[in-house]
Every structure is written in C-alpha cells, then in structure tokens.
Amino acid sequence: MARPNQFALLGQRRFGPFFWVQFLGAGNDNLFKFAFTVLVTYELQVAWLPPALAGLVIGALFILPFLLFSATSGQLADKLEKTVLIRGVKGLEIAIMAFAGWGFLNADVIALLACVFLMGLHSTVFGPVKFAYLPQHLGEAELTGGNGMVEMGTFVAILLGQLAGGLLIAVPGRGPLLVTLACVGVAVLGRAVAQAVPLSPSTDPGLKINWNPFSETWRNLRLARESPVVFRSLLGISWMWFFGAVFLSMFPAYAHDVLHGDEQVASLLLVVFSVGVGAGALLCERLSHRHVEIGLVPLGAIGMSVFAVDLYFASRGLAPGPALTLAEFLARPAHWHVMADLGLLALSAGIYSVPMYALIQLRSQASHRARIIAANNILNALFMIVSALGVGVLLKAGLSIPQVFGLVGLLNAAVGLYIFLIVPEYLLRFCAFVLARCMYRLRLQGDEHIPTQGAAILVCNHVSYVDAVLLMAASPRPVRFLMDHRLFALPVLGWLFRLGKAIPVAPQHEDPVAYERAFAQARQVLAEGDLLGIFPEGGITRDGALAPFKGGVMKILQTHPVPVVPLALRNLWGSYFSRIEGGRAMVRPFRRGAFSRVGLAAGEPLAPAAVTPERLRERVQGLLTG
C-alpha cells in the first residue's frame, strides 16, 4: 500500500497548526523587512543608509539576535514545554508589529531598525523550538517530508510576505498604513493558530539555565562537536545561509541597478527564488524515497555553483535605461535566462538544505536537540553576518553585483569540495544515489524493516560488484560492510569501499590474522550501535543462483546478539557489474543499459536466537522469488 505523501501531514493536528504558525511568522518577518527595505531603497532616502547597502544592513541587524541569544533559546526549548514558548513568542510578535506600525506611520528609520532587531529576537526564540518540535511528532520516514514542507512553507512565506510588503508599501499615500495593518493582522492570526499546536513535553526538564550567552554559546558549540557528522552538517547549513543571504539581501539593488527594473521586478525575483527553494525542498521526499538521504547534498551543491556562475554571465551586458515595468522586463529574452538561473539555483539550494536539517534532527540526542539547533542558529548568524560584511567590502572595492554572484558561486564549489572530503559520507551517499537512479532504477520493498536506530546485521545475496553501493542507497543510515579483500583492488569501486570504511576480510586459511582482525572490527561496529552488512555466500555468484551461506554471521552473533535483517537484490544478474560473461564482470558496458530496473526487498528481522545459515538462506531465497 502506498504511503501518504508529505502534504497529508497538513491535515494532522501534530503538524498542521505548527506548520501554519511558522508559515505566518516567516511571512510577517519578510513582509515587514521587505517593506522597510523598499521604503529606504525607492522612497525614503537616508544619507547614512544608501540603497545598495540597505538590504545588507537590515539583514545583518535581523540576524544579530541569533548570534547573541540562540544559546539561551536552545536551553529554554529543551527545558520547557514547547507550546508554551510558541504561544509566548507569538504574543511578543503582536507587540513588536504594533511598534513597527508606529515607525512606518512616522517614517522613523531608527524605530524600524529597532523592530528589525526585535523580530530577529522573536525568530531566535522560535528557531530551536521549530526544529526540535518535528522529531518529537514525526517518524524517520516522515522527517524528510516534514522538513521539506517546513522549508517550502518558509520560502513561500518569504515570497508572499516580501511580495505583499513590496506591493503594499508602493501604494501612493497609504503604503505605510496598509503595511501596518497587514503586519499586526498576521501577528494576531499567528497567535490564534498557535492555540491549536499540540503539547510537546520537555526533553530535559531538570536542565539548569545558564543565562550567560557567551559561555553557553561556547558550550553549545562543544556539544555539537561531539558528533563530527552533525557538526559538519551544521557548518554546511550555515554556508547555505551565507550563500542565500547574498542573493536575498541584494535583490532590490540587483533589480534596480543591474536589471533596471522597478519594484515589481524586485518582487518577481523573490517569487522565482522562493518558488525554486520550495520546489527543491518538496522534491527531496520523492528523490530520497522518504528517508533521510544526504546523497542529495552534493547534487544541490553542484547546482548552486553552476547556476550562480551562469547568473553572472547572464547578467553581463544588460543595457541601461529607464526603469522597466514588469511587462517590459518579461518582454526581453535575456531576462528569462536570468530567471531560469535564479530558479534553478534556488531549487538546488532546497535540495541541498533539507537532508542536512533532517540528518541533524535524526542524529542529535533528544535531550539536547534544541541546543544543537541553537548552535546551528549561532553558526548561521555568524556566517550571514560575515556574508553581509564581505559583500559590503566587495561592493566598496568596486565589484559589481553580478561579479559578487559569480564569486560566491566559485566559493561554493570550493567549500562544497572541502565539506565532502572531510565528511566522506556525503560523497559516498551521492555516488550510491547516482548509481541507484542512473545506472539502475532501484525499487525498494519492505525497506521499513531496515532499522533506523540500534545495532543490526544486514545479510544479502551477492550478485555484483556494486551490491554494497546499492544497499548504501537503500539504507536510511550508514552501513559498514564486511567484504572480500580482493574487491578493494578494483578501480573506483575500491576507493568507494575504503571511503565507506568497509572491512576487508581474507579467508581464514589464507591469512588467519587478517581474518580475526576483520571480525573484531565487525563486532566493534555492532558495539557502537551501527549497521553491519554481510554477504554470507562468501563471494559474488557466477551463475546467478543463490549459494549456500557460510557461518560468519553465527560467529558474530555469539558475542553480539543483535537482530538480523534478510535482504535480496533482484534482477541484478546480467547487468554490467555481474559475472555473467563466463564468470567475468564489466566486460560489455552496454549489456544492460542505463536505468535498468532492479529491486531490493527487505524481510522482517530475525531474533539472534532464531538465526542459522540455512534459515537465513531460506529467507533470502523467499525474498528473491516473492
């Protein structure tokens, strides 16, 4: 039976009210900020806040509270019941928007800048609650879809908020009043919806709050560093916000100075960008088969760089002239190239970010998950402030806005390469993702039996040289494989196996020391609560038939009794990587073309006491023919 897709979550109380609360909050943030940015860019000229820097200054001031108060907010979200915090910050939002309305009506730039800071404080408190809430109410198979919905909702809210802000502030004579009414009205609606958010119990009620933001910030960063994969994922997300902040903060100036468009053109760029990010976020669930698939991250990073650099080339040579209306802008073919680059860049950013957020939520301990998210917000703030300062320096140095876009695209390529080299799991999963969807069309059956937590042994038939890679693509978390040592000599594939920390094993009669060392490493994998993959036939089939299973699994279960999950790869015999050519593989490249359909079936786990080689083989054989 097909599983419901991520949109079904909107009809459930555990997700729907929360989604709309964050949607309205993000929309109001951006309605207010963009109306203010347009005001000082097009209408209210302030000598000490030039239009080219207005977006950067407002953006930096908004994220400053994330740097100062995220550590305290993370503690509050771990200690307190989360609904109390949600309703509290929504009440605060009403007061801030009332003050902002006074600033708009009196054209008081200082008051409006103060409100930017206060709305940043509002979002600082809500941030850890938002991302710690999801793992309490969603299962692993729902986490990618839930994060995709939140990411999509956030950027659609950015779109609608900034579109509304730009249109309302531009109404002659009544713009400030309309913006005031809209901001206060959305805040009141958000507080009303918050009343329906279900209770989310405290994950660490005994936590003693450290009110010193500096020492607590350092403590949170150390807490995040305890898991290298989580911490480096935090750095990856922070880089994404560095990258995105460059574009979001410069859209008004880019539309005005480079594209020579009016306020509606600036709003169109935001539409394209927000729809792109939302589409990328929603694609993640489908591309990942509803699991946390970090192999999507390199795919997103590649797209971000390619389209950012191409945006630089598409922006060059646009002839200056009077401000173009939206219709005049759309009438020029060169501008469609710009919008295509911007949309695909944003779609790539959505694909890049959602798996990272889901990975952090999945692999952070529940008792301090909100503090890990707070550490993420601190790093995000640091990166965005550096982004604002760096772009300001580049513009002052004489670089054009398109040149800044192109430079950021090149930097993204360098940063992405660095992250994937120090966290090889991303690159490994990307290779598995590409193989499972390009070389083959991998169909999964029963993948819910592959455990998302705790130690287990995965046993599978051995059909080809890429069996381990396909199993990596199907598993929701890393698998350490016990593999024939000769496979590590293969070009490319051997490098992948070493990258995935596969354990080479030699026959006992050939090298008894290496044999015992391999099994000691396998036991250590289980002792650490991870997944161990074994091909109990002892070698790749030469005729497509299932060979008798050897007793290696029993040797491991003697000391580490864990569940054993039977798996079966289907329709892989006869492919390029199988030994169909007289016992040889990789002889005829086009034997089975790209997108050949193969399957992986998982059966119910066997209790360790019920495992025998014969029974395991019987289960795998049943999955092959079932």
Side-chain angles (χ1 to χ4, degrees):
M1 184 174 65
R3 300 171 183 168
N5 65 30
Q6 61 215 80
F7 289 98
L9 292 171
L10 288 175
Q12 302 175 22
R13 187 171 177 237
R14 61 189 175 124
F15 183 81
F18 163 79
F19 173 86
W20 292 114
V21 166
Q22 69 85 29
F23 181 91
L24 292 168
N28 216 15
D29 280 346
N30 288 279
L31 191 161
F32 162 64
K33 287 191 300 176
F34 196 67
F36 182 25
T37 303
V38 170
L39 185 71
V40 295
T41 300
Y42 288 97
E43 299 179 27
L44 185 63
Q45 300 300 315
V46 181
W48 49 270
L49 191 63
L53 295 178
L56 294 172
V57 171
I58 291 170
L61 192 58
F62 181 79
I63 63 175
L64 183 58
F66 284 90
L67 185 61
L68 298 176
F69 304 116
S70 283
T72 303
S73 300
Q75 294 178 90
L76 292 173
D78 275 334
K79 181 178 178 63
L80 302 178
E81 197 280 318
K82 294 175 181 59
T83 308
V84 171
L85 284 173
I86 291 173
R87 294 169 185 169
V89 295
K90 291 294 109 179
L92 175 64
E93 182 182 352
I94 295 172
I96 297 170
M97 288 295 96
F99 181 36
W102 182 89
F104 275 116
L105 295 174
N106 291 277
D108 191 325
V109 174
I110 299 297
L112 291 171
L113 288 173
C115 288
V116 171
F117 181 86
L118 290 173
M119 283 303 288
L121 177 61
H122 154 273
S123 296
T124 299
V125 177
F126 186 69
V129 178
K130 176 172 70 173
F131 286 108
Y133 174 95
L134 290 176
Q136 281 190 267
H137 294 270
L138 302 181
E140 186 274 337
E142 298 172 312
L143 204 52
T144 294
N147 275 282
M149 290 294 293
V150 169
E151 190 85 345
M152 177 276 297
T154 298
F155 277 89
V156 170
I158 289 172
L159 158 64
L160 296 177
Q162 296 191 352
L163 184 60
L167 295 175
L168 291 175
I169 198 66
V171 175
R174 294 186 298 159
L177 176 61
L178 294 175
V179 169
T180 298
L181 293 174
C183 287
V184 174
V186 172
V188 170
L189 181 59
R191 176 60 184 86
V193 175
Q195 204 63 33
V197 175
L199 297 178
S200 300
S202 167
T203 54
D204 192 359
L207 176 66
K208 185 177 179 181
I209 302 293
N210 175 14
W211 296 102
N212 183 328
F214 302 104
S215 63
E216 186 60 26
T217 293
W218 182 247
R219 184 185 303 173
N220 282 0
L221 291 174
R222 284 191 303 169
L223 194 64
R225 285 181 64 88
E226 291 178 2
S227 171
V229 171
V230 169
F231 183 70
R232 288 163 182 167
S233 297
L234 299 182
L235 293 177
I237 288 175
S238 297
W239 171 257
M240 189 274 292
W241 282 106
F242 177 106
F243 181 92
V246 171
F247 293 88
L248 285 171
S249 62
M250 297 184 70
F251 279 158
Y254 178 62
H256 184 270
D257 299 339
V258 179
L259 302 180
H260 316 294
D262 60 12
E263 296 96 323
Q264 291 184 346
V265 173
S267 297
L268 175 64
L269 299 182
L270 291 162
V271 170
V272 172
F273 190 87
S274 300
V275 169
V277 172
L282 292 177
L283 270 176
C284 288
E285 186 191 46
R286 182 171 182 82
L287 292 174
S288 66
H289 295 297
R290 296 188 175 92
H291 285 301
V292 177
E293 179 51 82
I294 61 174
L296 295 174
V297 175
L299 179 66
I302 292 168
M304 289 161 65
S305 286
V306 168
F307 297 114
V309 171
D310 195 59
L311 183 61
Y312 157 71
F313 289 107
S315 302
R316 294 194 310 168
L318 296 177
L324 300 173
T325 65
L326 182 59
E328 292 169 337
F329 176 82
L330 292 174
R332 301 190 180 186
H335 295 156
W336 285 92
H337 186 177
V338 168
M339 290 191 294
D341 278 334
L342 195 58
L344 291 170
L345 178 154
L347 183 141
S348 301
I351 291 174
Y352 173 95
S353 62
V354 167
M356 280 194 171
Y357 277 118
L359 177 72
I360 291 168
Q361 292 164 342
L362 188 64
R363 299 200 187 173
S364 299
Q365 293 185 29
S367 61
H368 51 257
R369 186 180 286 127
R371 279 168 282 171
I372 297 294
I373 299 300
N376 175 60
N377 290 342
I378 293 165
L379 291 171
N380 290 351
L382 284 170
F383 275 65
M384 286 191 284
I385 288 172
V386 171
S387 170
L389 295 175
V391 170
V393 168
L394 292 174
L395 292 175
K396 287 289 187 182
L399 268 70
S400 67
I401 293 175
Q403 286 173 331
V404 171
F405 290 168
L407 179 60
V408 170
L410 294 175
L411 284 174
N412 181 71
V415 169
L417 180 62
Y418 173 72
I419 290 175
F420 305 141
L421 288 177
I422 64 173
V423 189
E425 186 180 343
Y426 283 109
L427 189 58
L428 190 68
R429 293 296 295 242
F430 174 65
C431 293
F433 173 82
V434 171
L435 181 69
R437 288 160 179 78
C438 295
M439 186 70 187
Y440 302 110
R441 289 181 295 166
L442 181 63
R443 298 293 181 90
L444 302 178
Q445 177 184 326
D447 51 306
E448 67 274 8
H449 296 309
I450 302 175
T452 58
Q453 292 182 337
I457 298 175
L458 310 181
V459 298
C460 187
N461 59 321
H462 208 356
V463 189
S464 77
Y465 286 103
V466 295
D467 294 350
V469 182
L470 291 174
L471 264 60
M472 290 176 202
S475 173
R477 58 194 178 114
V479 183
R480 295 280 302 278
F481 288 94
L482 201 63
M483 300 177 65
D484 189 319
H485 68 107
R486 290 167 293 190
L487 297 178
F488 290 78
L490 293 172
V492 182
L493 289 175
W495 172 76
L496 278 178
F497 298 149
R498 285 188 290 272
L499 194 65
K501 299 181 181 178
I503 302 168
V505 59
Q508 189 174 20
H509 65 274
E510 288 184 14
D511 191 338
V513 174
Y515 177 82
E516 292 300 333
R517 182 171 59 243
F519 277 92
Q521 289 179 278
R523 294 186 185 100
Q524 184 61 34
V525 169
L526 297 176
E528 293 172 357
D530 294 328
L531 295 178
L532 177 68
I534 296 179
F535 300 101
E537 293 170 270
I540 299 173
T541 180
R542 293 177 177 272
D543 58 7
L546 190 64
F549 281 13
K550 300 183 182 300
V553 174
M554 306 307 298
K555 183 179 177 70
I556 296 171
L557 290 176
Q558 287 175 359
T559 56
H560 291 74
V562 299
V564 179
V565 182
L567 303 168
L569 284 163
R570 300 168 172 170
N571 303 323
L572 197 55
W573 177 250
S575 70
Y576 172 65
F577 292 103
S578 67
R579 288 176 161 178
I580 195 172
E581 304 289 346
R584 295 179 300 161
M586 296 180 282
V587 175
R588 293 174 57 187
F590 302 105
R591 167 171 286 283
R592 290 269 295 274
F595 300 105
S596 299
R597 182 174 296 177
V598 300
L600 177 68
E604 293 186 5
L606 288 171
V611 173
T612 64
E614 295 76 19
R615 188 170 186 185
L616 274 178
R617 185 181 183 280
E618 180 184 327
R619 286 291 185 93
V620 173
Q621 183 67 58
L623 292 170
L624 280 172
T625 57

